[in-house]
Amino acid sequence: DHFMLKEIFEQPETVAQTMQGRIKATPISPMKFGVPAVDKYLVPRVRLGGLVDYVSIIRRSRRIIFIACGTSYHAAMCSRQTVEELTQMPVGLELSGDVLDRRMPIFRDDTCVFVSQSGETADTMRAMEYAMESGALCVGITNTVGSAIARASHCGIHINAGAEIGVASTKAYTSQIVAITMMAIVLAEDQISKRTRIDEIVESMLDLPESLRMCLQLDESIKELAEGLKDESSLLVFGRGRNYATAVEAALKVKEVSYMHSEGINAGEMKHGPLALVDEFMPIIVIATMEDADMHNKMQGVIQQLMARSARLIILANDDDTEMTEIVQGKYPIVRVPRSDTAVQPILNIIPLQLLSYHLTLKRGHNVDQPRNLAKSVTVE
């Protein structure tokens, strides 16, 4: 019925397109004298043609800085921990406009990665011109072949998600996370110590399309959830670690199309102010998937603290999380998503929240594809 819903449901195909021809499904073990060769560890699992001539330069950088706006910024925020984990390099994250406002110091041995769905984002373009003047290596990650950022950057990655017409970005967000994760894998391919970890991430990425299809089956239950939230004036979303990016992206989607005030909050900061907002009326979504045991324990603590204050909770958890069932004891709705690797789980977590923003908008009687005061280059007449 709407481009936004079409693009949400395209995501099993679009993430596959982002990976197509770039990820090897099975590791290759060359044989030498009848036994596996030592150099089997150097066989790449991922190949990105747009970066192939620049990988060694990026590896020698003093730091990697992701620069973007809006949803693209959230995709970089979500992927930053994976890049840090695999490359062991300092990784910065900056809003495009803020780079220019601060006249941020950028050096010749920095790598600046500019993320933009359209490749025409004005603030991001200006930030790239500023980085070029400083002599930094500029990498573009865009969805549009021949766009300004694609042409002006030294190298880059096309996410190949297809045209995105709805103003609220959905499929570009998940494909951007996949693209940045693949970039992290390419940069870490020369590290023998990271081979097992890379294999775990690659295996989970190859399972992504099927896992996303399972997430999309939640559509009817999310529609019922939206019915109970449509008359609310505010919504909080709590997440931590990689899922802080999921929380702020979910809040952006809700405010962007349904015009309901929403805020993504780092659950680690809950006691430093946001807890004052909690009462029995304020709806709160808590993202508590169990891809990381330590993080899961922390989120269980968050949920118990919120329950003690009679909060009105909606919990996003994995389909095999029996501990959450025991904690909640049927008092609150639990949205269940498949379990995946810690680097990939946020891609699955955002799907029901994208669907929630869509159904909330319909039930509140607003235009899903063209929210007021907003536009993107393909929707401006």
Side-chain angles (χ1 to χ4, degrees), residues 1-12 168-171 173-174 211-227 229-230 235 246 249-254 257-258 260 285 314 316 335-338 346-364 368:
D1 294 334
H2 302 92
F3 281 110
M4 183 177 177
L5 187 63
K6 168 183 174 285
E7 287 157 8
I8 290 171
F9 271 81
E10 281 178 348
Q11 286 174 104
S169 180
T170 51
K171 64 180 182 178
Y173 174 75
T174 49
S211 298
L212 287 169
R213 289 186 187 96
M214 293 169 68
C215 290
L216 290 168
Q217 292 172 10
L218 294 165
D219 188 44
E220 282 302 317
S221 61
I222 297 296
K223 189 184 295 185
E224 293 174 16
L225 197 61
E227 182 66 35
L229 295 173
K230 67 179 182 180
L235 173 70
T246 309
E249 172 61 13
L252 176 64
K253 285 292 152 289
V254 170
V257 290
S258 75
M260 178 192 291
I285 298 173
I314 299 161
L316 182 67
V335 177
R336 302 280 188 177
V337 294
I347 299 174
L348 304 179
N349 293 350
I350 196 61
I351 302 300
L353 302 174
Q354 290 175 346
L355 289 168
L356 179 63
S357 66
Y358 170 79
H359 288 299
L360 269 176
T361 305
L362 284 191
K363 291 181 182 299
R364 288 164 68 90
V368 176

Side-chain angles (χ1 to χ4, degrees), residues 312-332:
R312 180 182 169 188
L313 300 180
I314 299 161
I315 295 165
L316 182 67
N318 289 120
D319 49 16
D320 59 348
D321 189 352
T322 54
E323 292 178 25
M324 194 60 67
T325 306
E326 293 172 9
I327 291 171
V328 172
Q329 295 181 340
K331 295 178 182 176
Y332 305 103

